[in-house]
Amino acid sequence: MFLINCPYCGERDQSEFSAGGEAHILRPKQPTELSDDQWAEYLFMRKNIKGVQFERWNHTHGCRKWFNMVRDTSNDKIHAVYKMGEKPPVK
Amino acid sequence: MKNKYSIFSLIKNAFSYHENWQRAWRDPEPKKEYDAIIIGGGGHGLATAFYLAKKHNMTNIAVVEKGWIGGGNTGRNTTIIRSNYLWDASAGLYDHALKIWEGLSQELNYNVMFSQRGVMNLAHNLQDVRDLKRRTHANRLNGIDAVWLNTEEVKKFCPIINTSPDIRYPVLGGTLQRRAGTARHDAVAWGYARGADAMGVDIIQNCEVKGIKRNEDSVEGIETTKGFIKTKKIGVVAAGHSSVIANMVDLKLPLESKPLQALVSEPVKPIIDTVVMSNAVHAYVSQSDKGELVIGAGTDAYVSYTQRGSHDVVEGTLKAILELYPIFSRMKMLRQWGGIVDICPDASPIISKTHIKGLYFNCGWGTGGFKATPGSGDLFAHTIANDEPHKLNANFNINRFVSGDLVDEHGAAAVAH
């Protein structure tokens, strides 16, 4: 449980948000060209990092906008919040 | 040689004020090399070591544990054991475990306090009724005991449930597995540890794995906080930290690790003599032998390794508990904790070889691994010893995420994820 600084609404309780998993996984440009291994990689395989992780969040009970977050999963400390399409802060 | 636990040893030791009990397992320093190493000293890891030694004569093996044995999810779960899963593959897997549970205290010469008090799953809407009836039928076709109970029968089986039609999610019935129940979670870890140790297995605590050494496509050993240990076979049973180990060899797993919470109340006199679970409102409760209500809450919806979990999750669970059991409204909760569970996209586990020779993973048990402890250990030991899966865990390989042959058990997993 923590506070999230929504880039559109400001600081709100985490329970207002939904986690959308690992960020920056690109949707395949040519889905028909993908092998089964590549599909599995895209759909299922995750880094699931213990430490600093880039992830997507949605302010479900607020502005309902998606954004990205850099959070340390070992202590839930948030390092940065940035809008979709923006470059992630260099780590 | 280990002394056998019995009524006579209990009496004998009573005369010396229980000060002369033999220690249950040794505290060895790691050898330079083992035939196999199990990473993770929880129930599944210790059971794996036990069956490797007992059934496959692999006694030159070690279990390495970064904390103390049974200090992770084995000591943090709500101890529920059942096998009423939907698909044939899962039925085979979980009922294999349940059958071992039934004789486990004798097999280990350690009382794991396995109590077949029944597990009842409630239905709160029409779809629940359909799903649970379907699951009841599927269970019976697979030889697993299950009966459907209507609302009156639910009330008769567990009188403290509020079956009034006026509550937000009324009880429309439930399915009951009478062979299901609970066991003492710590005793399971200790019993397996003692049994494995007696056969020569080294259980090395406070020994964290820092890296895995590999030579091209096979493993050579592990780097630990107690130095390098050479081995050709590594079985990873690290639960919530499976991905951490996998990342050491650049292996990606289809897992997300999330905190799952549980809590217990102050101890009271016997009030509920079974386990009642409700997936739809997310509340499940049983009573421990000490008299505490044991309540399982849900997972946080985001990846975290913090072992605590959010307050709103507990709040949601307690709301549901209070609506179903108004009698608990003045109970005080004593303790709350979280464990990190590794969840697979299809809510089924992975007991599998990998593309790296000598590296095996037993993970992805998500929110319901405790019930499978003996079966998981037995099948994982078979997989490691023979370098081939047993037919009961053949479906639970990592490749199912490539082939698409998933074992979707979201309906039968108690915690929605």
Side-chain angles (χ1 to χ4, degrees):
Chain A
M1 198 169 195
F2 39 84
L3 293 173
I4 295 175
N5 191 11
C6 170
Y8 304 96
C9 311
E11 206 164 71
R12 299 290 177 87
D13 194 292
Q14 166 260 314
S15 61
E16 289 187 14
F17 298 81
S18 313
E22 195 177 317
H24 307 299
I25 297 174
L26 291 183
R27 191 177 171 78
K29 287 208 172 68
Q30 293 279 330
T32 49
E33 305 294 307
L34 251 51
S35 67
D36 289 351
D37 279 316
Q38 287 166 317
W39 265 122
E41 179 78 15
Y42 168 67
L43 280 177
F44 299 125
M45 302 305 168
R46 297 292 178 262
K47 289 181 195 148
N48 195 24
I49 292 167
K50 182 179 186 177
V52 176
Q53 165 160 297
F54 294 80
E55 50 195 27
R56 302 176 303 174
W57 284 75
N58 183 281
H59 195 180
T60 330
H61 303 290
C63 62
R64 301 178 67 188
K65 288 198 176 86
W66 284 94
F67 59 93
N68 289 318
M69 200 155 100
V70 187
R71 184 174 58 98
D72 189 333
T73 59
S74 66
N75 56 17
D76 287 343
K77 197 174 165 210
I78 298 168
H79 292 297
V81 174
Y82 55 103
K83 291 178 184 171
M84 282 289 166
E86 285 179 4
K87 281 227 161 75
V90 183
K91 279 282 150 196
Chain B
M1 184 63 197
K2 285 272 190 308
N3 294 335
K4 204 167 149 52
Y5 289 156
S6 67
I7 181 76
F8 303 109
S9 67
L10 195 63
I11 294 167
K12 190 179 141 213
N13 280 282
F15 285 113
S16 55
Y17 301 96
H18 297 293
E19 284 172 356
N20 296 320
W21 284 99
Q22 189 184 26
R23 71 180 293 167
W25 54 85
R26 296 163 295 127
D27 186 21
E29 283 303 306
K31 294 182 204 163
K32 284 202 167 55
E33 183 174 358
Y34 290 99
D35 294 338
I37 292 175
I38 306 298
I39 300 176
H44 290 241
L46 294 164
T48 305
F50 177 82
Y51 292 113
L52 272 173
K54 187 180 172 186
K55 290 177 130 179
H56 306 282
N57 296 321
M58 288 178 71
T59 50
N60 182 32
I61 61 174
V63 177
V64 294
E65 163 59 46
K66 73 172 171 182
W68 63 95
I69 61 166
N73 293 353
T74 302
R76 290 165 186 269
N77 64 80
T78 49
T79 78
I80 296 165
I81 295 162
R82 62 189 174 91
S83 65
N84 54 353
Y85 280 72
L86 178 67
W87 300 107
D88 295 352
S90 320
L93 178 68
Y94 292 102
D95 212 49
H96 178 61
L98 185 49
K99 284 177 187 140
I100 303 177
W101 278 115
E102 287 173 333
L104 190 61
S105 291
Q106 285 72 28
E107 184 178 3
L108 295 178
N109 178 229
Y110 203 103
N111 187 3
V112 298
M113 296 162 86
F114 179 50
S115 159
Q116 291 176 296
R117 58 183 68 186
V119 170
M120 182 165 66
N121 288 81
L122 300 179
H124 297 277
N125 53 52
L126 189 58
Q127 192 57 44
D128 272 4
V129 172
R130 288 173 179 151
D131 287 345
L132 286 181
K133 279 188 173 169
R134 178 192 179 201
R135 186 136 66 86
T136 307
H137 294 313
N139 290 158
R140 295 172 73 127
L141 286 171
N142 276 317
I144 293 169
D145 68 306
V147 284
W148 171 259
L149 307 179
N150 62 28
T151 309
E152 291 73 43
E153 289 165 329
V154 166
K155 182 79 179 169
K156 203 173 160 206
F157 185 69
C158 185
I160 59 168
I161 296 181
N162 179 8
T163 51
S164 154
D166 299 332
I167 62 174
R168 177 66 184 84
Y169 296 103
V171 177
L172 302 184
T175 175
L176 170 65
Q177 185 181 18
R178 290 187 193 275
R179 283 165 65 230
T182 58
R184 171 81 200 278
H185 49 8
D186 298 319
V188 177
W190 298 336
Y192 272 122
R194 177 170 171 269
D197 179 85
M199 290 182 283
V201 175
D202 282 355
I203 296 165
I204 302 157
Q205 304 182 72
N206 298 311
C207 179
E208 186 175 349
V209 174
K210 291 292 187 189
I212 291 177
K213 193 176 172 209
R214 54 192 277 208
N215 177 14
E216 309 229 330
D217 58 352
S218 59
V219 296
E220 289 194 327
I222 55 172
E223 293 289 352
T224 74
T225 47
K226 294 192 176 185
F228 178 73
I229 313 174
K230 204 172 155 191
T231 188
K232 287 194 173 64
K233 288 189 172 188
I234 300 171
V236 184
V237 205
H241 283 68
S242 298
S243 297
V244 176
I245 306 285
N247 287 340
M248 292 173 182
V249 286
D250 296 322
L251 178 72
K252 261 195 190 175
L253 295 172
L255 298 176
E256 285 197 315
S257 295
K258 296 172 178 177
L260 173 67
Q261 291 178 82
L263 54 163
V264 295
S265 72
E266 58 189 329
V268 288
K269 287 186 175 176
I271 183 72
I272 178 167
D273 63 355
T274 185
V275 183
V276 185
M277 318 181 72
S278 170
N279 298 18
V281 298
H282 205 283
Y284 58 95
V285 64
S286 62
Q287 191 172 16
S288 74
D289 293 336
K290 282 186 282 184
E292 305 153 322
L293 295 180
V294 182
I295 295 171
T299 53
D300 284 339
Y302 51 87
V303 171
S304 181
Y305 289 82
T306 51
Q307 288 193 327
R308 39 176 198 257
S310 302
H311 183 68
D312 54 311
V313 173
V314 171
E315 210 173 14
T317 291
L318 289 179
K319 276 181 196 162
I321 291 279
L322 290 189
E323 180 145 289
L324 277 175
Y325 312 93
I327 192 175
F328 294 154
S329 65
R330 278 163 293 165
M331 301 248 337
K332 290 184 172 60
M333 291 298 143
L334 275 193
R335 288 180 288 128
Q336 168 275 352
W337 64 93
I340 303 305
V341 297
D342 44 331
I343 298 173
C344 263
D346 60 354
S348 283
I350 294 167
I351 312 172
S352 178
K353 295 163 66 169
T354 63
H355 70 275
I356 300 166
K357 196 173 164 353
L359 185 64
Y360 308 84
F361 269 85
N362 182 353
C363 59
W365 289 94
T367 57
F370 178 73
K371 65 174 80 69
T373 305
S376 156
D378 183 32
L379 299 173
F380 195 42
H382 181 102
T383 308
I384 293 172
N386 300 302
D387 196 36
E388 276 302 322
H390 187 280
K391 70 177 189 324
L392 286 175
N393 67 310
N395 282 78
F396 298 94
N397 59 57
I398 294 180
N399 283 336
R400 74 177 188 268
F401 297 96
V402 176
S403 69
D405 188 14
L406 303 180
V407 189
D408 182 2
E409 287 291 359
H410 283 281
V415 181
H417 25 71

